Amino acid sequence: DAGVIQSPRHEVTEMGQEVTLRCKPISGHNSLFWYRQTMMRGLELLIYFNNNVPIDDSGMPEDRFSAKMPNASFSTLKIQPSEPRDSAVYFCASSQNSDLDETQYFGPGTRLLVL
Amino acid sequence: RKEVEQDPGPFNVPEGATVAFNCTYSNSASQSFFWYRQDCRKEPKLLMSVYSSGNEDGRFTAQLNRASQYISLLIRDSKLSDSATYLCVVNPASGSARQLTFGSGTQLTVLP
């Protein structure tokens, strides 16, 4: 199994530009999570999907952030327009989300720097 | 009050030492508990689940005290490769949601 795949691995952009982060979950997993990690705030859940449906987006900072999951094998997190305070590592994780296994498997992350 | 609180450290210990990390959680209804490990500039990975009766995996022992809402991780005979940040993780189990709440992590450096 290839694990959770994220792209790009690094992104440097200028303030005001649109940023799109991509994630391919582990095949067969029915839940997908987007996290943001910074030194100041640690690991924060932004949004999670269950069976491609957004369940809880209360962690999304503001309207500049949006996430989609058009099918079971692909999700995007978009920031438009980006701001310097959005600089962080963005992780995608997937899970079987069952009584038998709650483990979340994380992708390698996307390191975003907004100048 | 944070939902999951950990001492950030850093803990600097010599190789072979025994080191213990503690974590407290605020939601008494929490159902499941984990320790994740995160190496520098890498993603978090599951280290072990924490069961009510306590559990051991090689040099690692995890314990849960529901009455005190307290979780611990003990590492015996520490190795250089144990150097990482250890994240205490709790499932608040609100309804059917299975969202994990991560602590801010405890940094461990094992010195030669």
Side-chain angles (χ1 to χ4, degrees):
Chain A
D1 196 328
V4 176
I5 299 172
Q6 290 187 248
S7 65
R9 295 291 302 275
H10 300 86
E11 177 83 23
V12 180
T13 190
E14 292 186 342
M15 183 173 65
Q17 296 298 306
E18 177 181 302
V19 175
T20 299
L21 311 181
R22 297 173 177 79
C23 175
K24 176 178 168 55
I26 293 172
S27 177
H29 283 188
N30 59 8
S31 292
L32 182 142
F33 306 80
W34 281 102
Y35 290 90
R36 177 173 68 177
Q37 187 174 40
T38 61
M39 288 293 292
M40 291 295 295
R41 300 172 69 91
L43 198 61
E44 302 174 280
L45 177 66
L46 300 177
I47 185 171
Y48 92 96
F49 295 83
N50 199 41
N51 294 321
N52 312 340
V53 176
I55 302 299
D56 184 354
D57 66 354
S58 59
M60 296 285 262
E62 49 197 89
D63 292 345
R64 297 185 298 107
F65 285 68
S66 62
K68 294 182 180 179
M69 191 165 186
N71 57 62
S73 59
F74 184 65
S75 177
T76 60
L77 177 68
K78 185 178 291 187
I79 308 172
Q80 180 184 22
S82 57
E83 296 182 3
R85 61 191 167 124
D86 301 331
S87 299
V89 182
Y90 290 81
F91 288 107
C92 174
S94 71
S95 169
Q96 286 188 337
N97 212 16
S98 69
D99 288 340
L100 297 177
D101 188 2
E102 297 178 75
T103 307
Q104 290 188 16
Y105 297 85
F106 283 74
T110 296
R111 295 184 175 276
L112 174 64
L113 178 61
V114 183
L115 302 173
Chain B
R1 182 186 174 187
K2 287 184 181 178
E3 292 185 58
V4 180
E5 294 207 53
Q6 296 181 250
D7 180 347
F11 284 64
N12 299 317
V13 302
E15 215 173 350
T18 295
V19 60
F21 306 137
N22 302 318
C23 165
T24 57
Y25 60 95
S26 60
N27 185 344
S28 60
S30 296
Q31 294 298 312
S32 47
F33 311 88
F34 311 89
W35 284 99
Y36 274 65
R37 169 192 169 131
Q38 186 172 21
D39 292 307
C40 186
R41 300 182 69 82
K42 298 286 188 180
E43 70 273 21
K45 292 183 179 178
L46 178 67
L47 176 65
M48 60 195 301
S49 301
V50 185
Y51 302 119
S52 296
S53 55
N55 49 298
E56 190 174 305
D57 183 1
R59 297 181 294 108
F60 298 83
T61 301
Q63 292 199 313
L64 168 65
N65 183 323
R66 285 187 183 272
S68 302
Q69 295 177 208
Y70 168 99
I71 305 159
S72 66
L73 177 68
L74 183 77
I75 305 175
R76 292 182 300 277
D77 187 25
S78 53
K79 312 291 185 190
L80 297 177
S81 57
D82 294 334
S83 297
T85 296
Y86 291 83
L87 303 167
C88 177
V89 185
V90 175
N91 181 355
S94 54
S96 61
R98 294 181 187 275
Q99 301 177 58
L100 302 183
T101 301
F102 286 76
S104 55
T106 298
Q107 185 180 342
L108 171 67
T109 300
V110 180
L111 304 169

